[in-house]
Amino acid sequence: MAGPFDPVQREIHQDWANREYIEVISSSIKKIADFLNSFDMSCRSRLATLNEKLTSLERRVEYIEARVR
């Protein structure tokens, strides 16, 4: 008769525990990847905006330098 310490039941229980652990890890990795992708897009957008502003300022400086000469 199988008791509470039956090796098969223990193995099944351990297998489920491992599966739950793997699910938690997988979910955490997905959340991290989603955050990093969102952060990447945000940074790219902000850098593009800064690049446009910097280009505009560079053109103004060039124009002013040309007028001063």
Side-chain angles (χ1 to χ4, degrees):
M1 181 168 194
F5 297 107
D6 182 15
V8 174
Q9 286 182 347
R10 188 175 6 199
E11 190 174 325
I12 290 171
H13 178 72
Q14 185 62 41
D15 182 61
W16 276 107
N18 288 341
R19 289 173 189 256
E20 289 173 354
Y21 179 72
I22 290 169
E23 182 63 32
V24 168
I25 297 297
S26 297
S27 175
S28 296
I29 290 171
K30 184 182 181 309
K31 287 178 184 177
I32 290 169
D34 289 345
F35 166 75
L36 290 174
N37 285 330
S38 174
F39 183 73
D40 176 61
M41 292 304 294
S42 174
C43 288
R44 287 177 189 257
S45 174
R46 290 178 183 192
L47 286 172
T49 300
L50 286 173
N51 189 46
E52 290 173 8
K53 290 178 180 180
L54 182 58
T55 300
S56 176
L57 288 172
E58 288 172 339
R59 286 182 184 153
R60 286 183 188 176
V61 168
E62 289 171 359
Y63 172 76
I64 292 171
E65 286 176 343
R67 289 201 53 175
V68 169
R69 292 183 183 162

